Amino acid sequence: MSATNVGFNPIADLSRISVAKMSRKSAKHRLALSSGKRINSISDDASGFSLARGLEANRRGLAKALDNIGNAKNLLNTALGSYDEINELLMKIKEKTVQGADGVFNTAQRNAMQGMIDAALTEIDDIINSTAFQASNLIDGTYTGKTFQTGAYAGTTFNVDLDNADTTVLGLTGVSVATSADGRAAMDNVDDALVLLARSMQKAGEYVIRLEVKESTLRHTRDSVEGTRSRIEDADFAYEQMQQSRIQLLQDMGFTSLKDAIAAPQQVLSLFA
């Protein structure tokens, strides 16, 4: 193969092919460096592209499930906050019933105690009616059989039932301290109400604990899925930069070779000038 063939210059043709090949490779590595991805189209790696898309869909599903868990926790914490307020009111009612069980107080004083008890009972029912999340009442007995989507697949759900905590369910109708005997009877009713409310609070609290475990598990799963996707799809910047530098050097050498190959026939012709 001669570079001095005037009619046909195979060295120049080979040099052009080599330079074009290096240019294509260089463009691919530049794209990887600019996009941050090793796979930018299905033609780069068909199986890797498909796998990465599936992992990305899974990651997004897990991220949305984490949002759902956050919403569920906010809802339950709303209910728990109201349960706690009701518990505080029951404690105040308990204080008044203990006070009313003592025979030292006169009618006027008992009427004052009763007014405080009635106001607290009214406030409990007001809390029941005003405790809502996304326009759904939570602790009036209607928030039952609710299902939260807590995973990226259809079967990963979480069911919630919140107890009614109104004065009727708690057995606080007719609480009276008109006499010391009434006060003692009321004490038992309030104690029973506190037990019922504690069970409701415990159930809601256990829901939150379980959701926190699910949340932690989902975060680990999401991070693992994202790590796997990244290893398949994302660019290794150190590798891409190294390859780009190597290809740039080969390109420079190719351009020099092409320039020399094109010049060789001209040098032959100059001998006959």
Side-chain angles (χ1 to χ4, degrees), residues 162-216:
L162 294 176
D163 293 340
N164 189 349
D166 66 20
T167 54
T168 300
V169 170
L170 293 178
L172 295 175
T173 56
V175 173
S176 173
V177 289
T179 66
S180 58
D182 290 337
R184 285 189 290 275
M187 287 171 57
D188 290 336
N189 290 342
V190 176
D191 286 339
D192 291 342
L194 285 166
V195 170
L196 286 174
L197 183 62
R199 290 173 183 169
S200 298
M201 294 176 72
Q202 179 181 349
K203 184 167 79 170
E206 287 172 351
Y207 285 149
V208 173
I209 292 170
R210 289 174 60 194
L211 285 171
E212 287 176 345
V213 172
K214 291 180 181 296
E215 184 177 43
S216 177

Side-chain angles (χ1 to χ4, degrees), residues 105-179:
F105 297 104
N106 60 35
T107 300
Q109 291 169 326
R110 290 184 180 281
N111 287 340
M113 292 178 206
Q114 188 66 50
M116 294 178 186
I117 290 172
D118 291 343
L121 292 172
T122 298
E123 184 60 26
I124 287 174
D125 285 335
D126 285 347
I127 292 171
I128 296 297
N129 294 327
S130 63
T131 301
F133 193 90
Q134 299 282 38
S136 295
N137 289 341
L138 299 181
I139 56 174
D140 64 350
T142 61
Y143 204 86
T144 59
K146 304 299 183 180
T147 301
F148 294 95
Q149 185 65 42
T150 55
Y153 303 102
T156 48
T157 58
F158 187 81
N159 297 323
V160 168
D161 295 290
L162 294 176
D163 293 340
N164 189 349
D166 66 20
T167 54
T168 300
V169 170
L170 293 178
L172 295 175
T173 56
V175 173
S176 173
V177 289
T179 66

